[in-house]
Amino acid sequence: MQVVLDVGCGTGILAILCAQAGAKRVYAVEATHDIAHATSKVVEDNNLSNIITVLQGRIEDVEIKEQVDVIISEWMGYMLLHKNMLESVITARDRWLKPGGLMLPSKATLYMAPVTNTKRYEESINYWNSVYGINMSAFKPLAKQSAFLGPCVETITFENVLARPQVVKCVNCDSVTIPELRSVTESFKFNSTVKAPLHGFAFWFDVEFGPSPMPLSIRYPTSSVDDHPPVDSQTRRDPTLLLSTAPNVLPTHWQQTLIYFFDPKDLKQDQLIEGRVTLSQNQASSRLLDVKIAYDTGGQSHVKYSFLR
């Protein structure tokens, strides 16, 4: 029987599941007063007050009088790092996790890939070419600003993906430090599998839960947009311990995060797309994420700034 800490417990569902699974004690920490109060009532209503202690406050401010065996948290935001809740989890880890204790999730990997999405562009932008037969194309610049200035959280499929995804950031929750999360920069190099308009880049993530002795290579299915063979992700653990938000799995509430260009770039098959992506904590608020993508398509250089609010 183990002692568990749930960081940012929200409704308390994870804390309750841990108690039902046999945890000796569960500390459920929630910063928002009204939510913490309601969660305490849920714990009481389910006769778990002898196991779960709800603590209202920031993880940086509360006090726990013992070390814990397990830290669990649903800290992942859009584009993995949005809202920056992982910093609070790291703080909890460094203060209360026993040596050799378990972090859940234990690992997270953020991916990116170039995408095409003609339907989305047609609906948002080219719609203004003829509105009930009236030429309203003068509104297209404003429509682009409205639709594509910031990241879009939506669901795509692997039919939209133009190249093998690449890793932007791999986070080991046992050892990641706060400073390394404040700015993440990674170079990328893609080759388009088909001739298609490049509308932007998509980001998604996987998280793993605990060690498993059985490595497995997950294969993405062949996209119907092209005939390229399936591609392998990084070597993975037991798939029953993997939560993925990739375009080829059942949608989650995270969906995928899309950074769209104001104007698509026409690509040839096998055309090289290379550049650098930087994800930075916003200087005014560390909970917000600034995105910069500098990329080149066949000698044409571009920069796209976006801000996840």
Side-chain angles (χ1 to χ4, degrees), residues 21-61:
K24 179 180 179 181
R25 277 185 299 280
V26 181
Y27 296 96
V29 181
E30 172 56 45
T32 305
H33 180 273
D34 291 346
I35 294 177
H37 178 75
T39 300
S40 296
K41 187 64 169 61
V42 169
V43 169
E44 180 183 341
D45 290 346
N46 286 274
N47 301 312
L48 292 171
S49 298
N50 60 323
I51 299 175
I52 300 174
T53 300
V54 179
L55 300 173
Q56 190 273 311
R58 297 169 64 247
I59 197 70
E60 293 82 358
D61 301 327

Side-chain angles (χ1 to χ4, degrees), residues 233-248:
S233 71
Q234 286 189 314
T235 299
R236 288 300 190 187
R237 304 287 187 174
D238 184 340
T240 62
L241 304 178
L242 179 74
L243 167 64
S244 177
T245 67
N248 63 313

